[in-house]
Amino acid sequence: DSVYDIVLMDMQMPVMDGITATQEIRKLSQFSALPIVAMTANAMEGDRQRCLDAGMNDHVAKPVEPDELWKSLLKWIKPRHAIGVRTGRHLIVDPLRVDPEIAFDIAGLDIETGLKRVLGKKSLYLSMLHKFVGGQKNVIAEIRAALESGDIDTAERLAHTTYGVAGNISAVKIQTLAGQVEQAIKLHAPSGEMVVLLDALALHLNEMVASLELALPAKEARVQIVVDKDALHAVCAKLEALLADNDAEAGDVFDRNADLLLSAFPSHFRRLDYAIKSFNFEVALSVIQDAETTCT
């Protein structure tokens, strides 16, 4: 009985992709007219046509440009209130909140465009840069290991994640190279070609990570605290539910409760931190379940 205004459909979700999900939604009569807008890094006309053929209404390319997203929302969402009617909701602004300055310039990183994509929120952009470093530091080794073991799906997913997060921070060259690696994996390119593409991506990615590690302001050190077992149980249950559902909110829950998790699971914390920042939610779920079994 829920009422939805619009569905923003990720095209490369795990388990069920956006095309299949849209087809399943369209089988439900109550959602036959529900606007569905594809969110995909693939901007080729053929991909757009596949979205339309599956029953979607429109297509927004990733990384998302706020102006383009607003245009799509205004186009497809029917207003619930007449123009000029107040809903009683007010935006609350904290006058004491001051965004940190970004006083560095890194080759290959378009900070101005990156900030536009987060509506100028410098603290959010800095957080994304920190997560980029944590999540992408070892990704080339992970892609190579996946390819060597024949796990093509994992290799493609890792390359696609790198493509996406590089686009989000506006590291354009890395985004382009990661896209080439992803496409080569998808097309089962010869090993020699794959080595050349991965080496090129590794060169630029390693330089970016090293530059960011030097430039980014140090994050606050984690502190050991007394573990409240009830609070820990609630946090773990929330995290496990989000991870099992592949919900990116898991990263925010982890960050808000990092001191508690470090104090409770000191031997598992770094693996959990890295898995979540790499968006490897299946591994993160396994780590936290193991931590609960062995540490509590």
Side-chain angles (χ1 to χ4, degrees), residues 38-95:
M39 308 286 284
T40 175
N42 298 320
M44 293 187 296
E45 183 61 30
D47 295 304
R48 183 177 184 278
Q49 191 58 49
R50 286 177 62 234
C51 297
L52 298 176
D53 291 343
M56 298 186 202
N57 301 86
D58 206 349
H59 171 283
V60 174
K62 294 192 295 185
V64 176
E65 297 293 346
D67 287 346
E68 294 303 312
L69 178 58
W70 280 117
K71 287 178 184 176
S72 186
L73 295 177
L74 290 169
K75 178 179 179 180
W76 294 109
I77 296 178
K78 296 179 180 179
R80 294 191 181 183
H81 304 280
I83 295 175
V85 175
R86 300 183 65 179
T87 64
R89 295 182 180 178
H90 302 279
L91 178 64
I92 299 175
V93 178
D94 182 357

Side-chain angles (χ1 to χ4, degrees), residues 128-169:
M128 290 169 62
L129 293 178
H130 276 292
K131 289 181 179 179
F132 181 87
V133 170
Q136 298 302 304
K137 196 169 187 178
N138 299 309
V139 73
I140 300 297
E142 292 180 352
I143 292 174
R144 285 180 170 142
L147 290 172
E148 288 173 6
S149 66
D151 190 351
I152 302 302
D153 288 344
T154 294
E156 186 178 339
R157 176 179 54 78
L158 289 168
H160 179 71
T161 297
T162 300
Y163 177 94
V165 295
N168 289 339
I169 65 172

Side-chain angles (χ1 to χ4, degrees), residues 30-293:
Q30 67 269 38
F31 298 134
S32 61
L34 175 65
I36 301 178
V37 175
M39 308 286 284
T40 175
N42 298 320
M44 293 187 296
E45 183 61 30
D47 295 304
R48 183 177 184 278
Q49 191 58 49
R50 286 177 62 234
C51 297
L52 298 176
D53 291 343
M56 298 186 202
N57 301 86
D58 206 349
H59 171 283
V60 174
K62 294 192 295 185
V64 176
E65 297 293 346
D67 287 346
E68 294 303 312
L69 178 58
W70 280 117
K71 287 178 184 176
S72 186
L73 295 177
L74 290 169
K75 178 179 179 180
W76 294 109
I77 296 178
K78 296 179 180 179
R80 294 191 181 183
H81 304 280
I83 295 175
V85 175
R86 300 183 65 179
T87 64
R89 295 182 180 178
H90 302 279
L91 178 64
I92 299 175
V93 178
D94 182 357
L96 299 179
R97 183 179 179 277
V98 178
D99 258 341
E101 288 301 315
I102 298 179
F104 53 80
D105 184 16
I106 295 176
L109 184 65
D110 185 349
I111 294 175
E112 182 179 354
T113 299
L115 282 171
K116 286 180 181 177
R117 288 176 179 158
V118 294
L119 304 179
K121 297 178 181 178
K122 295 177 184 177
S123 57
L124 175 56
Y125 186 63
L126 286 171
S127 174
M128 290 169 62
L129 293 178
H130 276 292
K131 289 181 179 179
F132 181 87
V133 170
Q136 298 302 304
K137 196 169 187 178
N138 299 309
V139 73
I140 300 297
E142 292 180 352
I143 292 174
R144 285 180 170 142
L147 290 172
E148 288 173 6
S149 66
D151 190 351
I152 302 302
D153 288 344
T154 294
E156 186 178 339
R157 176 179 54 78
L158 289 168
H160 179 71
T161 297
T162 300
Y163 177 94
V165 295
N168 289 339
I169 65 172
S170 201
V172 179
K173 182 65 174 179
I174 293 173
Q175 181 187 22
T176 299
L177 291 171
Q180 292 172 354
V181 168
E182 179 188 5
Q183 190 68 11
I185 295 171
K186 184 180 298 186
L187 297 177
H188 303 282
S191 59
E193 180 183 339
M194 187 63 66
V195 168
V196 171
L197 291 172
L198 276 172
D199 284 349
L201 176 59
L203 176 65
H204 287 81
L205 187 57
N206 290 340
E207 287 179 352
M208 179 65 69
V209 167
S211 297
L212 285 171
E213 286 182 322
L214 289 173
L216 287 172
K219 300 186 78 173
E220 292 183 10
R222 300 296 179 196
V223 296
Q224 292 283 335
I225 62 174
V226 176
V227 176
D228 181 325
K229 290 191 174 182
D230 289 338
L232 177 64
H233 177 74
V235 168
C236 288
K238 178 68 172 176
L239 262 180
E240 288 174 15
L242 292 169
L243 292 170
D245 200 35
N246 290 293
D247 191 327
E249 188 187 344
D252 296 329
V253 172
F254 176 84
D255 287 340
R256 289 197 300 268
N257 297 279
D259 290 340
L260 174 63
L261 292 166
L262 172 62
S263 301
F265 308 135
S267 60
H268 294 75
F269 181 82
R270 289 190 65 182
R271 281 190 296 146
L272 180 60
D273 183 21
Y274 178 69
I276 289 177
K277 285 181 171 57
S278 301
F279 298 96
N280 197 340
F281 292 162
E282 184 177 350
V283 170
L285 180 59
S286 175
V287 171
I288 197 168
Q289 288 173 338
D290 181 55
E292 284 193 283
T293 300

